[in-house]
Amino acid sequence: MNVMRRRHFLVGGMGALAACSETPQSSAPVVSEEQHHWRMVTSWPPNFPGHGVSANRMAARLEQLSGGRLQVEVFAAGELVPAFEVLDAVSRGTVQLGHSAPIYWRGSIPAAQLFGSVPFGMMADQFNAWLYFGGGLELWREAYAGHGVIPFPAGNTGAQMGGWFNREINSPADLNGLKMRIPGLGGEVMQRAGALPVNLPGSEIFTALQTGAIDATEWVGPYNDTAFGLHQAAQYYYHPGWQEPSGALELFVSVEAFESLSEELKGILEIACMAENDYLLAEFNTRNHTSLNTLVEEHGVQLRRFPDDVLDALRGFSLEVVEELAATDPMSGRVLESYRAFAEEVSAWLRISELS
């Protein structure tokens, strides 16, 4: 199966041929009997702003674009399976679709973390360019193939925040012993810096921070963080989000379910994901701005930038972590090689465009 093949819809050409034919053409619409009733499990709380709403919107869009032929019932985290068992549920065929983030699958697919975000790596626009034009999406799908699922880019948070802390970070020494909720590669980096990383689903973060079970947390950015009320549990809000300069979300479908679709519905699924990938990034770029103003001006949040020596230390540990991942996992090595080559290729243009 080549899920990346290009689909060409020659509607205009077929219409012209029909108009020129001497045989009378029936005006009755062709009704397809194809019907699919799918279930989608997610890693997000019910109707959670950004992520959860995106999953609901994806389901609605698929039904609309397919004329009702593809109907999707959405289950939030914990309603059918726990947040971190979404991939397993789709892989086993329990459900047809999963909506989650690649950074959660380091245990079963080490290379998946690189599709979520690379610390100090490319921003969302460059990351998406790599996926669509630099071979990244083909590698993503190859990495997931052994689990019987096909991933699609289905949203991006853009650059995230560095996180919420209940004490100031003035030097690398302040990271020693810090209990912080931070998954993926960012968690490994923080561990090397002396912190104690913890992986929690979104629904458990506020309570853990408020009760002191953790000292700090990263989640996403002002829009999502405000929805969780994290400003009520910690005072200091740090930037930049070095751990996730681009926060990719994914929709993955079981291979068996995907192959049951007609070519038209396969195309609709792919286009719907591309549309949501673009829409959600625009939404985050809009809502983060207004939410940050509210946090600072109305709630008195202390907005801080990580000191340069802290960022320098984290950058050095990040390089070590990704290099070791590439050396120990062949698939990760191929992904990182492609990722870095594309980043280097576009860097010349970035220096005279966005970065200037």
Side-chain angles (χ1 to χ4, degrees):
M1 176 190 65
N2 181 8
V3 298
M4 288 301 298
R5 59 185 178 276
R6 302 297 181 191
R7 304 180 180 90
H8 301 282
F9 301 95
L10 306 180
V11 178
M14 294 298 291
L17 288 174
C20 295
S21 172
E22 294 181 359
T23 303
Q25 301 295 314
S26 171
S27 59
V30 177
V31 179
S32 171
E33 296 181 356
E34 183 180 11
Q35 292 287 328
H36 301 271
H37 300 274
W38 285 3
R39 296 189 296 176
M40 177 200 299
V41 290
T42 84
S43 295
W44 325 120
N47 301 310
F48 187 71
H51 300 53
V53 173
S54 176
N56 294 339
R57 187 167 52 234
M58 175 66 71
R61 181 177 283 128
L62 287 171
E63 181 172 354
Q64 179 186 28
L65 294 178
S66 68
R69 288 171 292 166
L70 181 53
Q71 299 181 13
V72 179
E73 185 177 5
V74 180
F75 295 87
E79 291 182 342
L80 201 59
V81 299
F84 295 150
E85 295 182 18
V86 169
L87 176 63
D88 288 341
V90 181
S91 181
R92 291 193 305 264
T94 304
V95 295
Q96 294 82 12
L97 293 169
H99 193 282
S100 190
I103 60 173
Y104 295 146
W105 319 129
R106 57 175 292 187
S108 53
I109 310 176
Q113 303 169 91
L114 299 171
F115 297 105
S117 193
V118 175
F120 295 96
M122 288 188 284
M123 307 293 281
D125 286 346
Q126 289 73 50
F127 174 78
N128 283 332
W130 171 62
L131 289 183
Y132 295 129
F133 293 96
L137 185 52
E138 289 89 342
L139 288 168
W140 195 351
R141 288 173 172 170
E142 183 180 346
Y144 280 43
H147 292 262
V149 302
I150 305 167
F152 293 82
N156 200 301
T157 66
Q160 299 192 3
M161 287 290 286
W164 296 87
F165 295 75
N166 59 16
R167 64 174 184 251
E168 292 186 85
I169 305 299
N170 295 313
S171 73
D174 291 326
L175 300 177
N176 289 329
L178 185 82
K179 292 177 293 182
M180 182 174 184
R181 184 271 178 193
I182 178 169
L185 294 171
E188 293 189 45
V189 173
M190 287 295 286
Q191 186 172 34
R192 299 202 181 196
L196 304 173
V198 178
N199 194 12
L200 295 172
S203 59
E204 299 178 18
I205 294 176
F206 177 82
T207 300
L209 188 60
Q210 186 182 49
T211 61
I214 57 176
D215 305 308
T217 184
E218 63 83 47
W219 176 229
V220 181
Y223 177 39
N224 278 153
D225 296 1
T226 301
F228 265 162
L230 297 180
H231 58 282
Q232 301 174 44
Q235 180 181 5
Y236 301 106
Y237 199 23
Y238 275 87
H239 69 96
W242 58 271
Q243 78 286 0
E244 289 189 70
S246 167
L249 303 182
E250 62 187 352
L251 181 84
F252 42 80
V253 56
S254 77
V255 172
E256 182 178 356
F258 186 77
E259 286 303 311
S260 72
L261 299 177
S262 65
E263 289 301 305
E264 182 187 5
L265 288 188
K266 288 177 182 177
I268 286 174
L269 177 61
E270 188 165 16
I271 290 170
C273 288
M274 293 179 72
E276 185 60 26
N277 198 42
D278 182 64
Y279 186 95
L280 191 63
L281 179 59
E283 180 181 21
F284 270 105
N285 282 333
T286 301
R287 310 234 185 258
N288 278 334
H289 167 69
T290 55
S291 296
L292 183 60
N293 285 344
T294 299
L295 288 171
V296 173
E297 296 175 5
E298 297 183 18
H299 298 293
V301 167
Q302 299 294 308
L303 185 63
R304 301 291 173 86
R305 186 181 190 277
F306 286 119
D308 288 343
D309 58 347
V310 172
L311 291 173
D312 288 342
L314 294 173
R315 186 179 292 106
F317 290 130
S318 296
L319 181 61
E320 291 180 6
V321 167
V322 296
E323 289 286 359
E324 290 181 14
L325 175 62
T328 57
D329 178 61
M331 187 71 225
S332 296
R334 292 175 54 208
V335 174
L336 186 61
E337 180 181 10
S338 171
Y339 182 99
R340 284 177 166 171
F342 189 84
E344 177 63 26
E345 182 179 341
V346 300
S347 63
W349 166 242
L350 287 178
R351 282 194 293 269
I352 65 172
S353 59
E354 296 180 20
L355 296 181
S356 66

